[in-house]
Amino acid sequence: MLSLRGDYSLAASDYSVEQDWGAYTGEQHALFRRLFERQSKLVPRYACPEWIAAIAGLDAGDSIPRFDSLSIKLRAKTGWEIVAVPGLIPDEAFFTHLANRRFPVTVWLRKPEEFEYIVEPDVFHDFFGHVPLLFDRVYADHLYEYGKGGLKAMRLAAVKMLARLYWYTIEFGLMKTPAGVRAYGAGLISSGGELAYCVVDPAPKRLPFNLEQALLTGYLIDRYQSTYFVIDSFEQLMRETAPDFTPIYARLRELPVLAP
Ligand code: PHE
Ligand code: FE
């Protein structure tokens, strides 16, 4: 964890920290507001309906949100809560939080010069991209199942495969809607450039979701995706990820990883 940006020195054993909302500066709230405003112009056209429905109830955008008030709303709707973390956390801590319906959100915000692009997830990505969908019952249940599946994948030494699925769904997933393809992946919804790209650009492939293909397809973290997987609905995602992955991991382990 040494090369990560956050301050891990005060983290508890589950990697949680205090949000310390009062410590954010006026400049940081203003930067968050600018990120929020820019992205808010894009989401009506490119984000999935579930995300759009949820953000309306959040009364967000004026400042960096308070995680405790988000948790109150979330608990009431889907039983989830937000836990503040210093940044990326180890697999086991991450999966354990999800398996307890706790979503880890990074406390720090990017710098102004990182407005367009940031390598590590910050509070804007985590909040804007991930949190609204936790208000959707099926999505929220799926992420809880994913958390349990992650702990199981650790025992089966299959975290790499499961991480590819996460990448192609939770981070960069597309969904078919009556209005056309829309984004539900957090990496897309929080991105200034890729959100429109993933929906309208002719270059990338948009394949129907296929579990085994997603588990086996490698990915690049430093450019727009060249392949997206399109789900029909969160119910479909739930259904297709419900089977026991143990035999699937055993079979796919023998196969070469597919190019992105
Ligand atoms: N069904 C998977 C397993 O048995 C767990 C899982 C659920 C993985 C949901 C991803 C999403 O390992
Ligand atoms: Fe993310």
Side-chain angles (χ1 to χ4, degrees), residues 183-245:
Y184 72 91
L188 299 171
I189 289 184
S190 66
S191 164
E194 194 168 358
L195 181 52
Y197 175 89
C198 72
V199 171
V200 298
D201 197 281
K205 285 192 208 135
R206 297 177 184 82
L207 309 177
F209 178 74
N210 177 293
L211 175 69
E212 301 199 358
Q213 208 178 344
L215 287 166
L216 216 49
T217 304
Y219 55 84
L220 301 164
I221 64 164
D222 58 354
R223 64 199 72 179
Y224 292 172
Q225 301 302 301
S226 43
T227 300
Y228 300 99
F229 288 98
V230 186
I231 61 170
D232 295 328
S233 63
F234 291 139
E235 282 83 1
Q236 182 209 14
L237 186 58
M238 189 66 153
R239 219 170 33 242
E240 304 231 0
T241 54
D244 180 5
F245 282 13

Side-chain angles (χ1 to χ4, degrees), residues 60-235:
D62 283 350
S63 57
I64 298 169
R66 293 179 188 263
F67 298 172
D68 48 3
S69 32
L70 284 174
S71 290
I72 292 170
K73 291 181 182 177
L74 258 181
R75 260 194 301 269
K77 190 78 198 293
T78 55
W80 278 70
E81 54 190 74
I82 302 300
V83 39
V85 290
L88 294 171
I89 62 174
D91 291 338
E92 184 169 11
F94 181 67
F95 295 140
T96 302
H97 282 305
L98 299 185
N100 287 281
R101 299 188 194 271
R102 293 191 297 258
F103 193 80
V105 175
T106 301
V107 288
W108 55 266
L109 182 67
R110 69 192 67 186
K111 302 191 181 96
E113 57 272 26
E114 294 166 312
F115 193 82
E116 290 304 330
Y117 179 75
I118 178 157
V119 187
E120 286 176 57
D122 71 339
V123 61
F124 181 73
H125 164 81
D126 284 341
F127 167 72
F128 198 87
H130 291 282
V131 171
L133 287 173
L134 294 172
F135 285 84
D136 182 86
R137 163 64 56 195
V138 182
Y139 179 96
D141 284 348
H142 166 261
L143 201 56
Y144 163 75
E145 294 298 333
Y146 178 91
K148 290 192 294 177
L151 294 170
K152 173 170 153 186
M154 288 187 73
R155 296 193 295 272
L156 298 170
V159 172
K160 265 204 176 130
M161 276 186 262
L162 191 65
R164 293 186 200 117
L165 176 66
Y166 189 88
W167 185 266
Y168 284 112
T169 58
I170 302 301
E171 292 294 349
F172 290 94
L174 295 180
M175 178 193 286
K176 214 189 281 173
T177 79
V181 159
R182 294 290 182 268
Y184 72 91
L188 299 171
I189 289 184
S190 66
S191 164
E194 194 168 358
L195 181 52
Y197 175 89
C198 72
V199 171
V200 298
D201 197 281
K205 285 192 208 135
R206 297 177 184 82
L207 309 177
F209 178 74
N210 177 293
L211 175 69
E212 301 199 358
Q213 208 178 344
L215 287 166
L216 216 49
T217 304
Y219 55 84
L220 301 164
I221 64 164
D222 58 354
R223 64 199 72 179
Y224 292 172
Q225 301 302 301
S226 43
T227 300
Y228 300 99
F229 288 98
V230 186
I231 61 170
D232 295 328
S233 63
F234 291 139
E235 282 83 1

